[in-house]
């Protein structure tokens, strides 16, 4: 069987690269004694601006921050004849925030995926949680290296425990590696050698050991502390050798030069084995409890060293049953005490060293390789069953006004938030309050709960404040109740008219109806001033709802026809060659424009409106549906060429507009295809998008403000949350099959 492994690989210098190489060799060892023969290829991750002279087993590389590179790698894997993909996952080695770009590859795979998780966090941030959840949902099996990770994956990441298998970190057979027997460096002779090794970074906590040493040396002057390893390449890139210099300064300040040795090298496995074999005690003074895997810990035990460690998760599990000693994070005094107790008791040291060697023998790489082989063979034999059990369909949450409530004051709904915290400084907009009127009324109609009407009254009150005597509207109001910008916005006028028309159509409360009716008629006299596409489209939606309430008012139908004709004229003046659109650019809220013409057709049955709505919808579909999911036009650069659109800065407003579009198209044409595209548009909020990650925040019941190139914009403003709820109220009946 053929396996493709995705991860880091030597000569790239990092723990994942070393692990992957050892795992490959361990699995291939089984080819000499088992019936099932393995063929292995590696797809290696490349960090930015680096080139490595990879061995022949590496068939393809992925450039860390190149989205297309991930998709091309998935295509290669699918066409390689491989029966299974084995992923070595660590957040930091993949591109985008928390390795988000990897999801493109994972989702595109057409063969079973088995994932080894080298990091599992108890308190992940949004990106960390959603990335790992997505990988887990697409994986047939997940491998972790300690049992603690199982409950964490269940509780934090919603992973079914049946998917998870514990296979410990492998260690080399040190006795085979240590032939001939290594010779102690002269400086190490007649010394008690304490070692820490690995790529240096501030989380290593080495300063804790340095501060403990004076109290140890006072009783045991023969102690030598060896710090083996280069600084982590990412640390060097960002901070240079700042941490190493910091450690050297502490060493000098404490007069430890004769008791501390820095070995600034990235050593081979054989050299590492030699170094460890000459030591007595190994220290892992890590500062972070949330470490679920430590290769250095496994190697130290395999080498038969006494381990003294802070109680991070992997250490707590592995060092149980008197296999090591613990000291608390940052507590150099407790460390000094533990070291002195051990150094005073040679018998205890010998007993622990014997237990450590026994532990190591159970986890020699060939044995670990055999466990992986058995797992992968089982997944391959039962591939159909495992693939059927994989459920990546998003769970649609219940309707919730929680985010809207956070943003709403006595004045109305605030525009923006920092994270989930309302940002008072940027005040209010009529745009958002008009949309909030529509959503509140939609929610009241659906759920008949008075709280939605209470919210509606607040937003309608804000609209009363912003309406001018001439029937036009102001948009922006500061938190100090000052109108910020009084110039006419056609968008804002149109959205206000939409909200008022919708209230006239649907409000069951007489007072709300009369206010909406009066404001509508004060405004409608100004529609002849409208010329821009979105102002026209929003206003048509308002007229549509008013006419649904009063279908005999010919004057309103004439006004709708006037606006629809203007919209068609814009289309005809800009539509050239293959550019079937209303403007020279594709910008925002695009689905709303053909929506308006579908609604105009429903009122007038004018085939011109229907023909243009269909042409424009086909045009925007060709731009916005990519690889089977909705890929919106981003706001970084507006699209003047449908083949060169930006996907950076995609916004919930635009996804909701596509839901509106397909709802209107379905109600006009009654074609099932419209329902399918409506569902796809709505599922953009739940990970069916370019980053393959949800914009819905299940914890806080809100929606994030958009998708950037490598991450989600984690603010939760009014526009995002209101348009999401509007999309929910339209799409949910279709999802239930009750359209």
């Amino acid at each position: 069987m053929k396996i493709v492994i995705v991860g880091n690989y030597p000569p790239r210098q990092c723990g994942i690269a070393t692990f992957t190489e050892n795992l490959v060799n361990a699995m291939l060892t089984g080819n000499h004694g088992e019936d099932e023969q393995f063929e292995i290829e590696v797809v290696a991750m490349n960090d930015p601006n680096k080139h490595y002279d990879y061995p022949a087993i590496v068939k393809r590389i992925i450039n860390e921050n190149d989205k297309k590179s991930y998709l091309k790698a998935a295509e290669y894997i699918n066409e390689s004849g491989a029966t299974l993909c084995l992923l070595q996952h660590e957040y930091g080695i993949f591109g985008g925030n928390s390795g988000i770009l990897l999801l493109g590859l994972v989702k595109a795979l057409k063969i079973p995926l088995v994932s080894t998780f080298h990091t599992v966090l108890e308190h992940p941030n949004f990106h960390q949680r959603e990335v790992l959840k997505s990988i887990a949902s697409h994986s047939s099996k997940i491998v972790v290296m300690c049992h603690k990770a199982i409950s964490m994956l269940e509780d934090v990441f919603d992973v079914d425990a049946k998917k998870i298998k514990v296979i410990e970190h492998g260690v080399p057979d040190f006795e085979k590696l240590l032939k001939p027997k290594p010779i102690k460096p002269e400086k190490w002779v007649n010394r008690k050698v304490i070692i820490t090794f690995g790529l240096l970074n501030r989380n290593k906590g080495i300063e804790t050991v340095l501060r403990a040493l004076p109290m140890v040396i006072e009783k045991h002057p023969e102690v030598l502390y060896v710090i083996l390893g280069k600084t982590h390449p990412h640390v060097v890139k960002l901070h240079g050798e700042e941490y190493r210099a910091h450690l050297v300064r502490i060493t000098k300040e404490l007069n430890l030069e004769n008791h501390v040795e820095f070995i600034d090298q990235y050593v081979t496995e054989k050299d590492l084995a030699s170094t460890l074999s000459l030591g007595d005690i190994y220290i892992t003074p890590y500062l972070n409890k949330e470490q679920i895997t430590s290769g250095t810990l496994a190697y130290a035990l395999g080498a038969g060293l006494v381990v003294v460690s802070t109680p991070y998760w992997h250490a707590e599990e592995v060092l149980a049953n008197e296999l090591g000693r613990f000291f608390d994070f940052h507590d150099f005094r407790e460390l000094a005490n533990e070291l002195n107790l051990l150094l005073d008791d040679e018998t205890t040291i010998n007993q622990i060293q014997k237990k450590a060697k026994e532990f190591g023998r159970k986890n020699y790489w060939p044995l670990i390789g055999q466990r992986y082989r058995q797992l992968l063979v089982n997944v391959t034999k039962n591939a159909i069953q495992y693939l059927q059990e994989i459920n990546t369909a998003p769970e649609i949450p219940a309707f919730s006004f929680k985010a809207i409530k956070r943003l709403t004051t006595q004045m109305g709904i605030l525009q923006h938030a920092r994270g989930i915290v309302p940002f008072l400084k940027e005040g209010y907009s009529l745009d958002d309050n008009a949309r909030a009127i529509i959503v509140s009324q939609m929610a009241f109609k659906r759920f008949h709960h008075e709280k939605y009407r209470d919210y509606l009254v607040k937003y309608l009150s804000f609209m009363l404040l912003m309406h001018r005597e001439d029937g036009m509207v102001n948009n922006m109001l500061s938190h100090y109740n000052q109108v910020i910008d009084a110039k006419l916005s056609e968008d804002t006028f149109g959205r206000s008219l939409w909200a008022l028309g919708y209230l006239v159509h649907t409000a069951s409360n007489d007072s709300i109806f009369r206010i909406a009716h009066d404001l509508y008629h004060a405004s409608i006299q100004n529609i002849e001033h409208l010329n821009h596409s979105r102002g026209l489209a929003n206003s048509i939606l308002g007229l549509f709802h008013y006419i649904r309430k009063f279908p005999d008012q010919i004057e309103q139908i004439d006004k709708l026809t006037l606006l629809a004709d203007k919209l068609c004229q814009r289309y005809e003046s800009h539509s050239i060659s293959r550019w079937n659109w209303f403007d020279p650019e594709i910008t925002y809220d695009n689905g709303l424009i053909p929506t308006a013409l579908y609604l105009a057709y429903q009122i007038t049955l004018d085939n011109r409106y229907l023909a243009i709505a269909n042409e424009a919808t086909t045009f925007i579909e060709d731009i916005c549906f990519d690889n089977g999911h909705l890929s919106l036009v981003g706001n970084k650069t507006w699209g003047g060429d449908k083949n060169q659109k930006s996907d950076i800065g995609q916004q919930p407003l635009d996804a909701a507009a596509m839901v509106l579009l397909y709802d209107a198209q379905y109600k006009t044409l009654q074609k099932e295809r419209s329902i399918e595209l409506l569902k796809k548009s709505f599922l953009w909020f739940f990970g069916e998008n370019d980053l393959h990650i949800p914009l819905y925040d299940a914890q806080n019941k809100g929606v994030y403000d958009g998708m950037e190139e490598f991450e989600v914009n984690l603010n939760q403003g009014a526009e995002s949350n209101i348009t999401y709820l509007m999309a929910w109220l339209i799409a949910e009946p279709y999802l239930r099959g009750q359209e």
Side-chain angles (χ1 to χ4, degrees):
M1 61 185 289
K2 183 175 180 179
I3 307 297
V4 175
I5 299 182
V6 177
N8 286 358
Y9 207 78
R12 185 171 178 177
Q13 297 179 352
C14 79
I16 301 296
T18 303
F19 179 93
T20 306
E21 182 182 42
N22 281 324
L23 180 59
V24 166
N25 293 333
M27 288 197 292
L28 290 176
T29 298
N31 282 348
H32 303 298
E34 298 179 27
D35 294 336
E36 187 73 58
Q37 298 297 293
F38 270 51
E39 178 186 352
I40 298 178
E41 293 181 0
V42 173
V43 174
M45 293 302 306
N46 254 23
D47 42 358
N49 304 316
K50 290 285 188 177
H51 175 76
Y52 299 102
D53 187 15
Y54 286 113
I57 196 170
V58 176
K59 301 300 183 184
R60 194 171 189 92
I61 62 171
I62 298 174
N63 294 314
E64 183 177 316
N65 289 319
D66 181 359
K67 287 183 183 180
K68 292 181 180 178
S69 190
Y70 292 84
L71 297 177
K72 289 177 181 177
E75 184 179 347
Y76 170 80
I77 294 168
N78 289 333
E79 296 175 357
S80 68
T83 52
L84 184 142
C85 180
L86 176 59
L87 171 67
Q88 300 304 313
H89 180 264
E90 171 64 63
Y91 288 110
I93 70 175
F94 301 103
N97 192 325
S98 304
I100 195 172
L101 296 189
L102 175 63
L103 300 184
L105 181 153
V106 167
K107 188 173 181 182
L109 287 176
K110 297 178 181 177
I111 58 175
L113 174 68
V114 173
S115 299
T116 302
F117 288 166
H118 291 262
T119 295
V120 180
L121 301 173
E122 188 173 35
H123 302 289
N125 63 33
F126 167 78
H127 287 94
Q128 290 166 340
R129 183 179 68 250
E130 295 302 331
V131 166
L132 208 68
K133 280 179 66 174
S134 184
I135 296 170
S137 69
H138 285 87
S139 298
S140 296
K141 285 289 183 180
I142 295 162
V143 178
V144 293
M145 298 181 206
C146 76
H147 291 84
K148 168 78 174 177
I150 297 177
S151 59
M152 289 168 55
L153 285 170
E154 281 188 287
D155 298 340
V156 181
F157 298 92
D158 302 323
V159 180
D160 187 344
K162 292 186 295 185
K163 268 192 177 186
I164 308 168
K165 184 173 181 61
V166 176
I167 301 179
E168 291 80 359
H169 196 295
V171 300
D173 184 339
F174 284 89
E175 292 181 4
K176 288 184 179 179
L177 280 177
L178 299 176
K179 293 181 181 179
K181 188 174 181 180
I183 300 172
K184 273 191 176 185
E186 184 176 347
K187 188 176 180 179
W188 294 23
V189 175
N190 298 320
R191 308 290 292 267
K192 284 291 184 182
V193 178
I194 300 172
I195 301 175
T196 294
F197 86 89
L199 294 173
L200 296 193
N201 61 70
R202 286 195 173 273
N203 190 48
K204 291 291 184 183
I206 292 170
E207 56 269 49
T208 306
V209 186
L210 295 177
R211 292 191 174 100
L213 281 179
M215 289 176 276
V216 177
I217 293 165
E218 186 177 350
K219 291 188 67 177
H220 298 279
E222 74 279 13
V223 161
L224 174 68
Y225 180 42
V226 176
I227 302 166
L228 171 59
K230 294 185 73 65
T231 305
H232 197 292
H234 288 175
V235 175
V236 172
K237 182 178 178 181
L238 295 173
H239 307 291
E241 291 290 354
E242 178 185 70
Y243 182 55
R244 185 181 296 275
H246 170 65
L247 298 177
V248 170
R249 280 196 302 273
I250 294 175
T251 300
K252 290 179 179 179
E253 289 169 4
L254 297 176
N255 298 315
L256 295 172
E257 292 95 328
N258 294 325
H259 298 275
V260 176
E261 181 177 358
F262 290 89
I263 303 178
D264 185 5
Q265 296 177 11
Y266 189 88
V267 294
T268 66
E269 188 162 80
K270 184 174 177 62
D271 289 339
L272 175 60
S274 298
T275 302
L276 292 177
S277 71
L278 299 173
D280 299 284
I281 295 173
Y282 182 79
I283 301 182
T284 51
Y286 301 158
L287 303 180
N288 184 5
K289 192 173 187 68
E290 292 192 23
Q291 183 151 339
I292 208 72
T293 302
S294 172
T296 62
L297 174 62
Y299 271 51
L301 289 169
L305 293 179
V306 176
V307 176
V308 181
S309 177
T310 50
Y312 57 90
W313 291 326
H314 195 201
E316 281 184 319
E317 185 168 309
V318 170
L319 298 181
N321 301 318
E322 297 296 313
L323 201 54
R325 294 289 186 269
F326 290 107
F327 65 100
D328 204 1
F329 301 100
H330 302 279
D331 193 338
F332 62 90
R333 292 182 178 84
E334 186 179 7
L335 171 58
N337 184 58
E338 289 294 340
L339 290 173
N340 281 326
L341 288 173
L342 283 169
L343 293 168
D344 288 341
D345 188 352
E346 192 70 30
T347 300
T348 297
I349 287 180
N350 292 334
Q351 289 173 346
I352 296 175
Q353 287 176 337
K354 183 179 178 181
K355 287 183 178 181
K357 287 180 180 179
E358 290 173 357
F359 175 89
R361 291 189 191 99
K362 296 176 183 177
N363 295 299
Y364 283 164
W365 272 116
L367 297 175
I368 298 300
Q370 186 179 26
R371 292 169 201 164
Y372 268 92
R373 285 173 66 101
Q374 290 170 349
L375 174 65
L376 302 186
V377 168
N378 175 265
V379 171
T380 301
K381 286 181 177 178
N382 298 282
I384 295 176
Q385 174 191 336
Y386 283 122
L387 289 172
Q388 287 175 341
E389 290 176 353
I390 289 175
N391 179 19
T392 58
E395 183 177 340
I396 307 305
F399 187 84
S400 172
F401 238 51
K402 186 175 180 180
I404 302 299
K405 180 180 179 180
R406 282 197 299 269
L407 289 162
T408 300
T409 71
Q410 285 301 112
M411 180 63 68
I413 191 164
L414 289 158
Q415 284 192 92
H416 298 302
R418 293 294 180 264
I420 65 170
V421 179
F423 194 47
L424 296 171
K425 186 176 181 180
E426 294 185 0
Y428 308 83
S429 76
L430 183 55
D431 280 327
D432 291 330
N433 280 272
R435 292 189 189 101
I437 286 171
I438 297 169
V439 167
S440 299
Q441 178 62 14
M442 290 174 71
F444 181 77
K445 278 186 64 186
R446 170 72 185 273
F447 300 109
H448 308 290
H449 197 297
E450 279 297 322
K451 71 176 181 181
Y452 300 118
R453 181 173 283 166
D454 293 340
Y455 282 104
L456 166 61
V457 168
K458 288 184 181 180
Y459 308 138
L460 187 56
S461 174
F462 184 86
M463 182 174 281
L464 277 168
L465 174 67
M466 301 302 279
H467 251 262
R468 302 189 331 210
E469 290 185 5
D470 61 0
M472 301 305 289
V473 294
N474 297 322
N475 187 20
M476 308 295 294
L477 186 76
S478 77
H479 184 59
Y480 305 103
N481 297 341
Q482 294 176 326
V483 173
I484 298 171
D485 189 351
K487 68 182 180 182
L488 171 66
S489 163
E490 290 194 20
D491 280 17
T492 305
F493 176 85
R495 290 189 186 105
S496 299
L497 199 66
W498 177 11
L500 294 170
Y502 184 70
L503 284 182
V504 169
H505 182 191
T506 62
S508 56
N509 179 280
D510 182 62
S511 179
I512 291 172
F513 168 81
R514 283 187 292 104
I515 291 170
H517 188 271
D518 291 347
L519 290 177
Y520 175 91
H521 279 281
S523 298
I524 199 67
Q525 307 308 317
N526 294 296
I527 63 167
E528 66 271 11
H529 300 302
L530 301 176
N531 292 295
H532 293 100
S533 299
R534 285 155 192 81
L536 293 167
N538 279 291
S539 297
I540 288 170
L541 267 65
L543 280 155
F544 169 82
H545 284 292
Y546 188 95
I547 294 165
R548 283 295 193 220
K549 178 70 172 180
F550 299 113
D552 59 341
Q553 294 200 12
I554 303 302
E555 182 184 2
Q556 300 302 313
I557 297 175
D558 289 343
K559 292 182 186 299
L560 180 144
T561 302
L562 169 68
L563 299 187
D565 285 344
K566 279 190 175 184
L567 207 50
C568 290
Q569 289 164 13
R570 289 192 63 86
Y571 178 85
E572 289 160 352
S573 65
H574 290 102
S575 181
I576 54 173
S577 184
R578 298 180 181 179
W579 188 262
N580 303 124
W581 198 242
F582 305 85
D583 300 295
E585 290 182 318
I586 301 290
T587 57
Y588 62 94
D589 218 358
N590 298 304
L592 194 71
I593 309 175
T595 296
L597 288 182
Y598 279 122
L599 299 185
Y601 171 77
Q602 290 180 27
I603 297 294
T604 66
L605 299 181
D606 187 324
N607 286 323
R608 180 190 183 203
Y609 303 157
L610 180 61
I612 291 176
N614 285 334
E615 288 176 11
T617 300
T618 299
F619 177 77
I620 201 70
E621 267 176 29
D622 289 343
I623 294 172
C624 290
F625 280 93
D626 187 24
N627 295 318
H629 64 258
L630 183 65
S631 176
L632 297 164
V633 177
N635 64 12
K636 183 177 182 181
T637 55
W638 297 126
D641 181 339
K642 75 174 188 177
N643 296 317
Q644 296 181 354
K645 68 156 183 159
S646 169
D647 60 1
I648 301 171
Q650 298 181 43
Q651 297 177 294
L653 166 73
D654 297 301
M658 298 300 283
V659 172
L660 278 164
L661 170 58
Y662 291 113
D663 177 54
Q665 187 185 63
Y666 176 72
K667 288 173 178 172
T668 303
L669 303 176
Q670 295 293 305
K671 291 185 177 180
E672 291 298 315
R673 181 176 179 275
S674 302
I675 296 178
E676 292 308 308
L677 292 174
L678 182 152
K679 291 177 180 177
K680 285 185 177 183
S681 299
F682 181 64
L683 292 177
W684 180 90
F685 291 98
F686 298 96
E688 297 297 318
N689 53 49
D690 287 343
L691 288 181
H692 311 287
I693 195 167
L695 276 81
Y696 180 76
D697 174 10
Q699 181 179 10
N700 297 297
K701 307 292 188 261
V703 171
Y704 296 113
D705 277 353
M707 292 195 313
E708 304 305 327
E709 185 174 13
F710 299 128
E711 62 187 351
V712 170
N713 177 342
L714 296 181
N715 296 323
Q716 295 185 20
E719 179 181 280
S720 304
N721 281 285
I722 296 166
T723 54
Y724 160 73
L725 291 178
M726 186 180 295
W728 190 101
L729 288 161
I730 294 169
E732 195 268 347
Y734 288 98
L735 295 169
R736 287 188 291 115
Q738 296 184 5
E739 65 278 357

